[in-house]
Every structure is written in structure tokens, then in C-alpha cells.
Amino acid sequence: MAIQRIKEQEVSYSYLYIVVSYIVIKYLLEQFINLRQLDQLSVKQMPIHIEQTLGITQKQFKRSQRFYYDKLSFEMYTKSIKTAMEIIVILCGVMPFIWDRTVTFFKMDPNSEFQRGLAYIFVEFLRLKLIDVPNNFYNTHVIEKRYDLSQISFALQFSDLVIESALWVVFVPILLYSYLYVAELGGDYFFIAMQFFVLIMAIVSSLVYPNYIQPLFNEFEELKETQLKSAISQLAFRMNFPLEKILVMDGSKRSDHSNAYFFGMYSKRIVLYDTLINNLTNEEIVAVVAHELGHWKYRHPYIKLVFFCIKILITFYIFGFYRDSDVVFLSFGFNEKSIFIGSALFFSLFEPMNTLFQIFELHLSRFFEYQADIFANRHGLGSYLMSGLIKLFKQNSTNLMIDPIYQWYYNSHPSLFERLKYLNKLR
């Protein structure tokens, strides 16, 4: 659909009010959930089960509580600022104002949806960065460094920002042009065309990101011939895991957090954070890797991809009923119709459904974590996984007191104590 002028008619603001109402309701709900979590983080006396399980001191417990209290309080503050700005942008007609100025200010072709869409995205990118960049720097260099949890320097974080912006300049025009082209080409069945487009983009990104983009931010080197490499290789062989390489990533230059993961379409590469190697025994690292390989064995990445495709199909199928609606565009102050603007407006209207999808995805993710733990335990590594998890939670200063509603709404992993309890039942 090329850019089309909408005929003058009576304007109904019902869709605008629906979006604003949902933004307010979601904000109040999330702040209520966050306040419940703040109550948990206000607990000053360490519960007995934490002391018995983790063996940490009262001082360490208080430090963890203070860190997450400060972190969540700042998140609530930034959420309030962002929500207020989002409502102002919608009610004051900032979106149609920017769209119209893509012609008068940026001198774009008034009939080129790609040019005007690109200019619109650029303005939105700058607007969001003006909020996100100071917040990220404060969170990293004030809150996290106050508790010695961040190792990243100002120079490195600024370098990351420059690289991210450069990648934006390279990829956003390509993605926008491709999206508009496929949407136009698909016609009445554009939702099927978009399904294939998004699927191809997901596959391409899974190949491009770990191999070409992530090395721009971190250094990777192959794990040296050690007992650890031999143990992981033997584990992969027993599981028929198509292991190509075991890599070590310099995660310590940014933080003390540890992790392990794998990537690759056919032959796979396992990545270990250097902090993981420095803080866990070989047996515990092998147990953590076994957990990750459990995700592969149970085909969790493919199940998530199928769910993602279903979500995309439903989303764009419903979008087909709205993309030509004059009422939707007029409700938000636009006097022109286009696929680009229609997409932006629709995804705002679709946000309630998207929230339900996200909650389901979180539930599915937590279920998958339990399955991966079962897999590691079946290979005789349950006790090592438990001790490794405890060390990781200590090292990462992970949140110890979690409200159940907060856990259900936000977290993709079960809590440490839920996982330990589950692993104990399996033994």
C-alpha cells in the first residue's frame, strides 16, 4: 500500500483512548507488582533457609537486598518517565507531527514510504536514546559500581554505543525496505508473506549475530587443551551433540556475571564466560554445559521458533483487518495511510495480546529450565549443577527474595531455591 491521502470525515478517537488506557493500566499494574517486590527487598533479617542453603553472611544478604532495592527503585523511576512521555507523545499528536515533517524538514519524497519511514525511525531513535543512554550509564556506573558488580569503563560503554549506532545505520534501512517490499508484494495474503519474511530474518540473525556482530563487542578464543575441554568434548560425544568448537568469551571486562550457551545451525559452538571458568570447578562447569545441552536435546530453540512463527502469523493476520482502516489512522491524528504508520499504530493496539504472549513465553521458558535440569541430573551431574548454581548466584549477587507474582510476571528462569528444591527431589 503506497501512501494514500485520507478523505476528510468525522474523527473518532476511540482507538487512541484504548491505547492510552492500556498504557496507564499496564503501568499501574507493573508498578503494583514492583512495589510488592520492594517489600521483599526491604526484609533486613536473612531467612534461615537462605543461610542454610547458600552459607552467606548477614552482611552479604543485606548487600544483595540493598543492590536490588536500588536497582528496582531506579527502574520504577525510569518507567514512570518513559510512560509519561509515551502518553504525551500520543495525546499531543507528536507521531503525525514527525511524519508530516519528514517532508518539510527532512526534504523526503512525499510519496516515498521508505524515505519518510526511515526519517521517522531516525527521529524516534534519537528520542529514545536521549532517555535510555543516561539511564544506562547511571545504572552501570553508579548503581552497579556502588556494589562492585560492573567492570565496564566509560570508554568501553561509549564504544559499545557507537558500534550499536553504526549497526543501526547499516541494518535498519535494509530491514525497513525489505519489510515494506514484502508487505506490498503479499497483497491480500501479506500475512503469509510476512510469516516467511520474519522467519528468514530470524534464521539469518541467528547466523550473523554470533559470528559477525558479537565479536565486535567481545573477544573469543578457543578453549585450550585441558581436562575441562576433554570432559566437555566427551559429554558432547555421548549426547551426539555436533560440537565444532569450545570458545571462551571475555565477559569479565564488562561484569562479574557468568554464563554458558551454544549457537550454530548445524555444527555447534559452546561458549563459556571466562568468569565461569575462574569461579567453578571443572565438574560444575560440565554440569552447567549439560544443562545447556539439555535445551538442545529437548529441541527448546526449535519449539520457541515454532511459537514465534505462530505469534507472528496471528499478529499479521489480525493486522490485515486494520491496515486499511481510515478510522485507526484518523484516531491518532494522521491524514495519510501507509503500511509503515499502520504497522506502528497496530502494534500499539496489539500490545494487550502481546503481553499475554509474553507471559506464556515466560511460563514456557521456566518449564524448559526444569527440563534442562532434569537432563543434567540424568547424566549424573545433579549435585554438581546444584553447587555450581549456588556459586553462580553468590558471584552474581542474584536476587534472593522474590515475590511470587513478580517471579510469575517478569522472570524467565525459576528462582534458585525452586531449582534446588526440584533437583533435590530428582536425586
Side-chain angles (χ1 to χ4, degrees):
M1 179 178 68
I3 297 176
Q4 299 176 8
R5 193 77 180 176
I6 301 175
K7 295 180 181 179
E8 291 188 9
Q9 55 186 282
E10 186 177 349
V11 179
S12 170
Y13 296 100
S14 56
Y15 288 105
L16 181 145
Y17 295 145
I18 289 172
V19 170
V20 172
S21 298
Y22 179 73
I23 290 172
V24 173
I25 292 171
K26 185 180 180 183
Y27 167 77
L28 294 175
L29 174 63
E30 290 183 346
Q31 295 297 67
F32 168 74
I33 294 174
N34 290 336
L35 286 172
R36 286 179 57 95
Q37 179 60 17
L38 282 182
D39 285 342
Q40 290 291 318
L41 297 173
S42 299
V43 174
K44 300 192 182 301
Q45 186 61 39
M46 178 169 55
I48 301 252
H49 73 278
I50 292 180
E51 182 179 6
Q52 291 176 339
T53 304
L54 301 184
I56 63 174
T57 64
Q58 178 69 21
K59 183 178 180 180
Q60 290 173 313
F61 174 77
K62 285 185 175 180
R63 178 176 175 271
S64 173
Q65 290 287 86
R66 286 198 303 269
F67 168 65
Y68 280 99
Y69 188 96
D70 291 349
K71 190 176 179 68
L72 182 56
S73 297
F74 184 66
E75 287 176 4
M76 292 175 67
Y77 165 76
T78 55
K79 178 69 174 177
S80 299
I81 299 296
K82 286 183 177 181
T83 302
M85 288 195 65
E86 189 176 4
I87 292 173
I88 291 171
V89 164
I90 294 174
L91 293 180
C92 294
V94 175
M95 292 189 295
F97 177 83
I98 296 173
W99 178 251
D100 292 339
R101 295 308 177 277
T102 59
V103 175
T104 58
F105 183 79
F106 290 96
K107 307 301 180 183
M108 296 296 183
D109 181 355
N111 296 314
S112 174
E113 186 174 13
F114 169 70
Q115 291 184 22
R116 295 179 67 181
L118 192 60
Y120 182 94
I121 292 175
F122 174 72
V123 174
E124 282 295 292
F125 175 80
L126 290 180
R127 181 179 70 83
L128 293 174
K129 284 297 180 183
L130 286 173
I131 302 173
D132 291 339
V133 170
N135 288 343
N136 289 339
F137 271 80
Y138 181 86
N139 184 64
T140 301
H141 295 283
V142 177
I143 297 178
E144 291 191 2
K145 289 209 170 181
R146 182 186 300 160
Y147 297 92
D148 298 321
L149 293 174
S150 174
Q151 307 302 326
I152 191 170
S153 64
F154 272 106
L156 182 57
Q157 191 167 7
F158 181 76
S159 172
D160 288 349
L161 179 62
V162 172
I163 295 172
E164 288 170 5
S165 300
L167 291 171
W168 185 94
V169 171
V170 172
F171 288 107
V172 168
I174 297 172
L175 292 172
L176 175 62
Y177 185 86
S178 302
Y179 174 80
L180 295 175
Y181 178 78
V182 172
E184 186 77 27
L185 188 67
D188 292 337
Y189 298 96
F190 90 104
F191 62 94
I192 297 177
M194 292 308 304
Q195 171 72 81
F196 285 103
F197 169 71
V198 174
L199 178 60
I200 291 171
M201 288 299 102
I203 293 173
V204 170
S205 64
S206 69
L207 295 173
V208 171
Y209 179 78
N211 289 295
Y212 301 103
I213 296 179
Q214 194 166 7
L216 297 174
F217 299 94
N218 293 96
E219 293 182 5
F220 295 82
E221 62 179 24
E222 193 164 356
L223 182 64
K224 296 177 182 178
E225 294 294 337
T226 59
Q227 289 183 346
L228 175 61
K229 184 174 182 179
S230 177
I232 294 175
S233 298
Q234 290 174 18
L235 176 70
F237 179 77
R238 292 199 306 270
M239 298 178 180
N240 295 319
F241 181 78
L243 178 63
E244 179 187 357
K245 289 182 180 180
I246 304 173
L247 303 174
V248 179
M249 189 184 86
D250 61 338
S252 57
K253 73 178 183 181
R254 283 182 170 78
S255 75
D256 292 330
H257 291 271
S258 300
N259 199 7
Y261 64 92
F262 67 87
F263 68 90
M265 289 293 292
Y266 302 106
S267 58
K268 310 289 186 182
R269 298 182 181 186
I270 293 174
V271 177
L272 308 174
Y273 281 39
D274 55 356
T275 48
L276 189 76
I277 295 174
N278 295 335
N279 291 282
L280 270 63
T281 66
N282 285 356
E283 294 81 5
E284 290 166 345
I285 295 172
V286 171
V288 170
V289 171
H291 169 92
E292 295 304 319
L293 297 191
H295 289 303
W296 167 79
K297 194 68 174 180
Y298 287 116
R299 301 184 182 276
H300 293 163
Y302 299 106
I303 296 172
K304 288 184 177 181
L305 181 61
V306 169
F307 176 77
F308 176 71
C309 290
I310 294 172
K311 182 174 71 171
I312 292 298
L313 186 64
I314 293 172
T315 301
F316 282 102
Y317 179 75
I318 298 175
F319 176 42
F321 294 99
Y322 289 90
R323 67 173 184 160
D324 294 324
S325 172
D326 293 352
V327 177
V328 173
F329 290 90
L330 290 171
S331 182
F332 288 88
F334 289 92
N335 52 26
E336 293 176 327
K337 291 193 299 184
S338 73
I339 290 175
F340 174 79
I341 292 299
S343 300
L345 299 180
F346 172 74
F347 287 121
S348 295
L349 287 167
F350 194 74
E351 186 59 27
M353 182 66 74
N354 191 50
T355 299
L356 295 178
F357 279 134
Q358 288 174 351
I359 292 173
F360 177 79
E361 285 180 88
L362 290 173
H363 176 78
L364 188 65
S365 177
R366 291 192 292 267
F367 174 72
F368 286 166
E369 291 303 314
Y370 284 127
Q371 277 196 318
D373 285 348
I374 292 173
F375 185 79
N377 185 72
R378 283 178 180 170
H379 286 79
L381 297 166
S383 60
Y384 291 119
L385 181 60
M386 292 173 67
S387 61
L389 286 173
I390 291 172
K391 285 183 182 179
L392 289 177
F393 272 71
K394 283 183 181 180
Q395 175 194 342
N396 298 341
S397 191
T398 306
N399 194 351
L400 299 173
M401 302 287 291
I402 306 178
D403 178 78
I405 297 179
Y406 183 92
Q407 165 77 10
W408 175 82
Y409 187 79
Y410 284 112
N411 290 350
S412 61
H413 285 56
S415 70
L416 170 64
F417 300 103
E418 287 173 331
R419 292 180 70 179
L420 294 179
K421 182 179 179 181
Y422 191 75
L423 283 165
N424 268 319
K425 284 183 179 180
L426 298 174
R427 296 173 65 188

